[in-house]
Amino acid sequence: MSLVSFIKDKVKPLPLKESGFVWLWLTVLAFIADYWTKQWADKELAPAFYGPVIEVMPFFNLKLAYNEGAAFSSFEGMTFMLVVLPIAIVIALALWMWQTPKTNKLINVGLALILGGAFGNIYDRIFNDGKVIDFIDWFIIWDGVEKHWPTFNIADSVIMIGVGLLIIDAIKNPENKSKKAKAQND
């Protein structure tokens, strides 16, 4: 069975106006916010790469970093995989969104945010030589030593918010999962 026939058999898309696609404006908004902030960071925080650090408040700075890997710089240098895998995930999430009624707000907002963040980081990988621009730097001081969380960006933030919304929906509405499983078995 080919992938196309598998998708045709398993995916039951709704009419576009009734599907989660009506929430794609959030995807566009998240992508634009991510793109704009990365462009700003790349210009304003990069005079000599380790350019100025802007202290926003104690334990929070804006500091430029280029990430050639995935989370916590894992898979560094594997640009092809870091573009192809997220594109496959984006396709799967878009299909999920297409099958989800627009009234399922938590799921659709979560998926829209994840898609916006994914597009932002995919865009960076394609147009910045495999690197993602990061600039949000949170840290704590533990026994007199600064311990930094890995630097991240708006795309990473909206992806995490989106995942959080999906988790909340799964906890709050477990019947959605059982309805979907029942519909697929019929």
Side-chain angles (χ1 to χ4, degrees):
M1 174 183 277
S2 74
L3 179 61
V4 173
S5 61
F6 173 79
I7 291 171
K8 284 181 181 178
D9 289 344
K10 297 295 180 185
V11 175
K12 307 283 190 252
L14 296 170
L16 293 180
K17 290 183 178 181
E18 294 175 23
S19 75
F21 280 177
V22 300
W23 293 93
L24 285 177
W25 63 271
L26 284 172
T27 300
V28 173
L29 189 64
F31 176 81
I32 290 170
D34 179 63
Y35 177 82
W36 182 82
T37 56
K38 286 176 179 173
Q39 296 306 305
W40 173 84
D42 199 37
K43 179 181 176 196
E44 297 299 323
L45 299 175
F49 179 57
Y50 293 104
V53 172
I54 298 173
E55 185 177 328
V56 177
M57 62 180 72
F59 313 112
F60 173 45
N61 296 327
L62 299 177
K63 179 175 108 177
L64 185 65
Y66 297 103
N67 185 353
E68 294 185 45
F72 309 108
S73 295
S74 56
F75 305 106
E76 194 166 319
M78 300 177 75
T79 304
F80 180 76
M81 184 193 76
L82 293 172
V83 171
V84 173
L85 183 59
I87 288 173
I89 292 169
V90 161
I91 291 167
L93 294 177
L95 290 171
W96 182 6
M97 196 175 204
W98 197 2
Q99 296 178 87
T100 304
K102 68 182 179 183
T103 55
N104 290 11
K105 292 178 185 172
L106 281 176
I107 292 174
N108 287 312
V109 170
L111 291 171
L113 292 175
I114 294 168
L115 289 172
F119 282 128
N121 284 339
I122 290 168
Y123 179 90
D124 264 16
R125 294 232 183 262
I126 292 170
F127 294 103
N128 291 325
D129 298 322
K131 299 174 188 154
V132 171
I133 299 168
D134 290 329
F135 60 93
I136 301 171
D137 178 40
W138 286 96
F139 61 96
I140 62 170
I141 298 177
W142 190 278
D143 289 333
V145 178
E146 285 186 11
K147 305 279 186 175
H148 290 258
W149 184 258
T151 309
F152 58 100
N153 56 43
I154 300 299
D156 301 333
S157 301
V158 296
I159 289 169
M160 291 304 298
I161 292 168
V163 168
L165 291 174
L166 295 180
I167 292 169
I168 290 169
D169 181 75
I171 294 168
K172 185 178 171 187
N173 301 310
E175 70 277 359
N176 287 341
K177 187 176 180 181
S178 61
K179 283 180 192 176
K180 189 173 183 178
K182 184 179 178 186
Q184 287 179 346
N185 291 333
D186 290 342

